[in-house]
Amino acid sequence: MSDEELQFQLKKGNNLAFDVIFDRYWKRLYTYAYNIFKEEEVCEDIVQEIFISFWKNIETATILHLESYLFRAVKYKIANHIRDLKFTQEHLDVLEFTGTSANTINDIEYKDFEKEIMMRVNELSPKCREVFLMSRFEEYSNQEIASKLNLSIHTVEKHISNALKVLRSTISSHLHQMFP
């Protein structure tokens, strides 16, 4: 059965169609996630969350190309997960250079998303941006940032918190546009 037929069957209440979709894509989605993030449990959780979301929203979602939808969802879910972590150069390199098949992720959408995030980072106040970049991209600890910039740790934490709020808002609105 084609993906379109499986989605149609699923919307009609044929739950076995979900099992077929799950079996068809779970391993590929997990492998894709693992190639980006390299943590088994996190990748398993992300793929499971994607399928749970797909299951919950199948009746209202309009999905034109299921494979693209699922792979894009994994990539954005990982990006969402990474935003709460300290960025390592390895994670950034993998996200930037992860190859995808022509039938999966729309690179233009991702590049636009990435540009939007960096644009929002650049719109932060100069001190907030400097603190955030040192924390997330240069991997300085809050103590190191406070020492280098002659700030209190509380001020450093506040700048990072403010930056993350702005970026979460941007990511959230972007995800709502991608996955209504």
Side-chain angles (χ1 to χ4, degrees):
M1 282 182 147
S2 71
D3 288 347
E4 292 79 15
E5 178 62 26
L6 288 168
Q7 288 179 81
F8 178 75
Q9 290 295 322
L10 191 54
K11 284 184 178 186
K12 285 179 28 180
N14 180 351
N15 295 340
L16 293 177
F18 180 81
D19 294 339
V20 173
I21 292 169
F22 184 87
D23 291 340
R24 184 175 291 175
Y25 287 107
W26 192 92
K27 184 171 181 150
R28 288 176 52 205
L29 292 172
Y30 170 78
T31 301
Y32 178 70
Y34 189 80
N35 284 334
I36 295 171
F37 201 69
K38 305 274 192 259
E39 288 185 28
E40 287 181 30
E41 291 177 3
V42 170
C43 294
E44 287 174 3
D45 288 346
I46 285 171
V47 173
Q48 290 299 101
E49 289 174 20
I50 297 301
F51 277 109
I52 290 168
S53 176
F54 172 70
W55 173 262
K56 287 180 178 177
N57 297 313
I58 189 61
E59 290 183 17
T60 58
T62 303
I63 302 170
L64 300 178
H65 193 267
L66 181 61
E67 182 179 33
S68 294
Y69 171 85
L70 292 172
F71 277 88
R72 189 170 48 248
V74 167
K75 193 163 192 171
Y76 287 132
K77 194 74 156 167
I78 289 171
N80 231 6
H81 179 77
I82 291 173
R83 75 161 193 246
D84 293 330
L85 303 174
K86 287 195 175 213
F87 291 98
T88 66
Q89 190 58 47
E90 179 184 355
H91 288 140
L92 294 171
D93 290 344
V94 169
L95 274 175
E96 184 173 342
F97 297 109
T98 297
T100 58
S101 75
N103 296 333
T104 57
I105 307 295
N106 183 335
D107 287 334
I108 294 170
E109 286 180 355
Y110 180 74
K111 295 261 186 232
D112 287 345
F113 173 68
E114 188 175 45
K115 281 181 192 173
E116 186 177 341
I117 292 294
M118 290 314 293
M119 193 170 68
R120 293 303 300 254
V121 167
N122 289 329
E123 290 173 354
L124 296 170
S125 70
K127 189 60 71 179
C128 184
R129 178 177 54 246
E130 183 179 20
V131 168
F132 180 76
L133 291 174
M134 288 176 76
S135 170
R136 295 308 197 256
F137 289 91
E138 297 174 31
E139 300 185 45
Y140 285 105
S141 71
N142 291 359
Q143 180 64 49
E144 290 170 323
I145 296 168
S147 291
K148 285 184 183 284
L149 300 179
N150 199 24
L151 299 171
S152 72
I153 290 182
H154 178 72
T155 301
V156 169
E157 290 170 349
K158 186 69 175 160
H159 281 307
I160 293 170
S161 177
N162 289 342
L164 288 174
K165 282 179 191 172
V166 167
L167 295 178
R168 281 186 188 113
S169 166
T170 301
I171 290 169
S172 178
S173 70
H174 191 77
L175 289 176
H176 287 298
Q177 290 172 1
M178 295 300 300
F179 309 107

